[in-house]
Amino acid sequence: MKYRQILDHVVLLFGVFLMMGPLVVAFLTSTYNHVTIHRQGMQFGWGGQFLDTYQTVLTQQGGFSGEITGLLMTQNSIILGIGFAVGKIVVSMTAAYAIVYFRFRAGTFFFWVIFLTLLLPLEVRILPSYEVAQQLGLLNSYTGLILPLIASATGTFFFRQFFKSVPEELLEASRIDGAGPIQFFWDILVPLSRTMMAAIFIIMFVVGWNQYLWPTIMTTEEQYFTLVRGIQSVMQQMIGADIPYYNEALAMAMLAMLPPALVILIFQRMFIKGLVEQEK
Amino acid sequence: MKKAQFSNPWLPYALLAPQMLIIAIFFLWPAAEAIRSSFYLEDPFFGNATFVGLQNYTDAFRASDYQRTAWFTALFVTLVSLLSLAIGLMLAVSADRVLRGQSSYKTLLMWVYAIAPPVAGLIGVMLFDQHIGPLVDFFALFGWEMRLGVNYWDTGIAIIIVSTWKQIPYNFIFFLSGLQSIPNSVKEAARIDCRSERRRFWTITFPLLAPTSFFLLILNITYAMFETFGTIDQMVKDQPGNSPVTLVYKVYRDGFRGNDLGGSAAQSVVLMVLVLILTIVQFRLIERRVHYN
């Protein structure tokens, strides 16, 4: 039994080494001077240039042309993350409410239309989606960045499932009390869904923050770049350079990683609940 | 559906309107456009289009490039899904058993979930860099000189490693919560009947986890097909032409870089059919699980 326990710890410690090792090395390397990294490779110690590098990246240039700073990109990422999460919750909650709580002919039809979107991940309709956004004049705008991403089926299915599990007596009781559909939604259903909404918000914030393909083709003006989108420009600049600014590129990667990681760690319980509930 | 429902002539439509509008504009219209232009040969500079029937499809399937990409995608999806499922399960089983430090392990093992695929790709590019990458030094100890971006299979293996690494936490979280939902009474009964821990795992625990595993398998296939785009885009940056990519990446490359609109659209439609099959399988599985419960 004792032996078994030790073995489990060995497996887990090895797992932690595997998962965290690359991140630790990346972080430590980002505290070194780029010339040192170029000469000696990635580093496993503390380089002492932490403040310099991160200050440059945050306030002067986001690792490349200098038109946008890391702070502005962080701001864009936050706008995308929160806009995506809030938009998705609002749109999918109202849609799920209509589907579950109303008797109307077209309900099933609309349900299948929403279902259809599962078949069309952004990646397979990327070129025509770009053309549509272009025709609507949405390139290089926050609306164009957020709107096309929020209407997929996952959120609607999630809330549909949750609403179905809400006891029917609640609706009957509030009807006897004379509540209309809007009042029932606002006074009963929304407060009941609070935990669900928070769980979905956390997941969707991370998903929104981490969007890459759509922001990459949508935004060509640097003022709309998010951190994750900026990674691509960092890379392009690195390839061309004599001695690439490895430290700044890694600092950007760390910045792009930190907020979603913190959100997940702080709200760990809720995050896991939301993630696992989604499968049901 | 619920028995007690509201009926209102316009409210449900108003509630559904935002989602329907977005779906119509950003899903149905582009998808219809993709299907339409897959039958046309479009001139990217003058915008003339000629109807060519199935030519785009046959051209795509015949191209040796497409076949090579399809084979790599199959291998990539299989390896990434199976490896990350296996490692995730192994870690979850250990994490479920330990008495001390479980929450610290959980936190540390989950962290990577938060990383965006392109960020994982950027870190991967550095770790596998010929000049500065420690992993290249490590593999050199075994006499293997990795050349990322130069050698086809070296690049392929690096992409597989990074994509697997990124997906492990996801599987770990699902397996761990699956393991923890197994009732204690079942575990205790099994412990009385069977002393061998290994046999207990394969005859009791694993079958109980099977529904979760199937479901996860589908999610992993979807991940490997679509969400690895950012990782691949970073890792093949200099040489996308001669490096291994997935079918999804090829749709993007042919459409945006190669200006082969019809060919790219035809490949999109093929992928839509693939997603359709995956979705049907997924829903079959969920239905079956509902019946068991």
Side-chain angles (χ1 to χ4, degrees):
Chain A
M1 207 59 208
K2 201 81 186 169
Y3 162 78
R4 193 72 238 187
Q5 282 279 322
I6 294 169
L7 191 71
D8 282 336
H9 281 287
V10 170
V11 168
L12 287 169
L13 285 173
F14 183 69
V16 170
F17 170 74
L18 216 63
M19 300 314 290
M20 292 306 281
L23 299 183
V24 173
V25 173
F27 174 67
L28 290 174
T29 306
S30 75
T31 64
Y32 278 81
N33 184 299
H34 67 288
V35 182
T36 317
I37 302 169
H38 185 67
R39 291 215 184 110
Q40 299 168 14
M42 293 183 92
Q43 301 291 321
F44 304 95
W46 182 250
Q49 300 238 352
F50 172 75
L51 282 178
D52 281 352
T53 307
Y54 282 80
Q55 203 178 15
T56 314
V57 167
L58 275 174
T59 59
Q60 287 170 28
Q61 52 170 15
F64 41 108
S65 77
E67 268 179 54
I68 187 166
T69 63
L71 274 177
L72 276 174
M73 289 162 87
T74 311
Q75 190 192 323
N76 285 339
S77 285
I78 291 173
I79 293 174
L80 176 57
I82 292 181
F84 174 74
V86 171
K88 192 142 181 160
I89 288 173
V90 170
V91 164
S92 52
M93 250 183 114
T94 50
Y97 181 57
I99 287 175
V100 175
Y101 282 96
F102 284 87
R103 187 176 300 125
F104 65 120
R105 265 217 202 119
T108 330
F109 168 75
F110 284 127
F111 176 74
W112 285 106
V113 172
I114 294 170
F115 181 83
L116 208 62
T117 61
L118 281 181
L119 307 182
L120 304 167
L122 181 64
E123 288 83 356
V124 310
R125 55 184 165 90
I126 190 70
L127 197 70
S129 296
Y130 173 80
E131 282 164 359
V132 166
Q134 193 182 30
Q135 281 171 35
L136 296 174
L138 290 173
L139 301 185
N140 289 312
S141 72
Y142 291 120
T143 321
L145 208 52
I146 295 168
L147 213 53
L149 294 172
I150 60 177
S152 68
T154 45
T156 312
F157 284 178
F158 185 83
F159 281 111
R160 175 176 165 263
Q161 214 58 35
F162 175 68
F163 289 161
K164 277 168 112 179
S165 75
V166 171
E168 229 163 283
E169 289 76 14
L170 275 177
L171 177 60
E172 281 158 16
S174 57
R175 265 180 148 180
I176 292 167
D177 288 344
I182 292 176
Q183 210 177 2
F184 174 71
F185 181 68
W186 203 244
D187 291 343
I188 312 270
L189 224 43
V190 170
L192 267 181
S193 319
R194 221 172 260 160
T195 346
M196 288 291 147
M197 284 159 79
I200 281 281
F201 180 87
I202 293 161
I203 294 173
M204 290 308 163
F205 175 78
V206 175
V207 171
W209 179 285
N210 284 347
Q211 285 297 321
Y212 175 70
L213 179 57
W214 185 243
T216 301
I217 64 162
M218 270 294 292
T219 54
T220 46
E221 285 169 23
E222 289 194 359
Q223 67 180 105
Y224 290 106
F225 277 16
T226 62
L227 280 168
V228 176
R229 160 73 174 92
I231 293 288
Q232 205 206 21
S233 310
V234 170
M235 198 68 184
Q236 258 157 10
Q237 193 252 8
M238 270 186 58
I239 290 162
D242 278 341
I243 302 181
Y245 284 92
Y246 296 113
N247 53 343
E248 291 183 5
L250 285 171
M252 289 290 293
M254 291 294 121
L255 285 180
M257 179 192 81
L258 201 61
L262 284 181
V263 167
I264 284 184
L265 294 187
I266 294 170
F267 303 104
Q268 193 169 332
R269 281 193 103 114
M270 238 177 232
F271 162 73
I272 294 177
K273 185 178 157 66
L275 199 66
V276 177
E277 292 280 312
Q278 261 184 332
E279 73 168 303
K280 285 173 187 156
Chain B
M1 283 292 128
K2 302 221 172 215
K3 268 180 235 142
Q5 282 178 319
F6 291 111
S7 48
N8 188 304
W10 56 272
L11 194 60
Y13 297 96
L15 289 167
L16 275 162
Q19 178 148 33
M20 284 305 144
L21 210 63
I22 301 174
I23 288 178
I25 296 174
F26 293 106
F27 284 78
L28 302 181
W29 181 8
E33 191 59 33
I35 294 170
R36 193 194 65 86
S37 62
S38 72
F39 297 110
Y40 283 84
L41 196 62
E42 229 163 305
D43 188 329
F45 301 107
F46 302 103
N48 308 324
T50 17
F51 183 78
V52 289
L54 288 172
Q55 199 194 327
N56 284 324
Y57 290 88
T58 49
D59 281 358
F61 281 128
R62 282 211 198 107
S64 66
D65 189 26
Y66 187 85
Q67 285 166 16
R68 185 154 100 146
T69 308
W71 279 116
F72 179 75
T73 308
L75 181 75
F76 174 79
V77 170
T78 315
L79 281 178
V80 169
S81 311
L82 293 185
L83 283 175
S84 61
L85 278 170
I87 299 173
L89 178 61
M90 194 180 74
L91 292 172
V93 168
S94 290
D96 183 42
R97 273 197 306 235
V98 293
L99 304 170
R100 272 162 180 248
Q102 193 187 55
S103 65
S104 321
Y105 283 129
K106 216 159 108 180
T107 306
L108 289 169
L109 292 171
M110 262 171 56
W111 186 282
V112 169
Y113 175 88
I115 299 179
V119 176
L122 177 77
I123 295 174
V125 167
M126 300 245 189
L127 290 171
F128 287 105
D129 188 275
Q130 267 185 73
H131 303 294
I132 66 161
L135 286 177
V136 175
D137 297 341
F138 174 74
F139 287 125
L141 294 178
F142 304 96
W144 176 21
E145 274 181 55
M146 269 195 117
R147 287 178 304 164
L148 189 74
V150 179
N151 182 306
Y152 185 87
W153 282 111
D154 286 357
T155 314
I157 289 166
I159 294 177
I160 289 171
I161 292 176
V162 174
S163 304
T164 306
W165 176 70
K166 166 85 189 78
Q167 184 66 358
I168 289 171
Y170 193 80
N171 294 329
F172 168 75
I173 294 169
F174 270 92
F175 276 131
L176 186 60
S177 74
L179 282 168
Q180 286 174 342
S181 69
I182 296 176
N184 267 331
S185 53
V186 174
K187 284 185 194 165
E188 272 161 27
R191 212 168 291 149
I192 293 166
D193 284 342
C194 170
R195 280 192 58 201
S196 154
E197 189 144 8
R198 178 170 299 174
R199 256 192 76 197
R200 221 156 60 210
F201 177 78
W202 289 113
T203 52
I204 307 288
T205 317
F206 192 72
L208 282 172
L209 281 180
T212 314
S213 316
F214 276 125
F215 182 80
L216 272 180
L217 182 65
I218 303 282
L219 288 180
N220 277 282
I221 292 172
T222 320
Y223 159 81
M225 291 274 299
F226 298 104
E227 282 163 51
T228 50
F229 177 89
T231 312
I232 295 168
D233 193 35
Q234 291 302 314
M235 296 192 72
V236 301
K237 180 86 340 145
D238 356 20
Q239 325 278 335
N242 124 72
S243 292
V245 294
T246 58
L247 288 171
V248 170
Y249 194 83
K250 198 168 140 51
V251 169
Y252 164 79
R253 194 182 65 197
D254 290 357
F256 274 93
R257 302 258 181 90
N259 272 326
D260 175 13
L261 304 181
S264 170
Q267 294 176 42
S268 293
V269 175
V270 172
L271 285 175
M272 284 181 208
V273 175
L274 264 177
V275 183
L276 174 70
I277 296 168
L278 275 177
T279 315
I280 292 173
V281 174
Q282 187 179 355
F283 267 77
R284 274 274 162 88
L285 282 173
I286 290 177
E287 248 170 47
R288 210 159 58 201
R289 261 178 44 160
V290 172
H291 285 302
Y292 280 140
N293 294 341

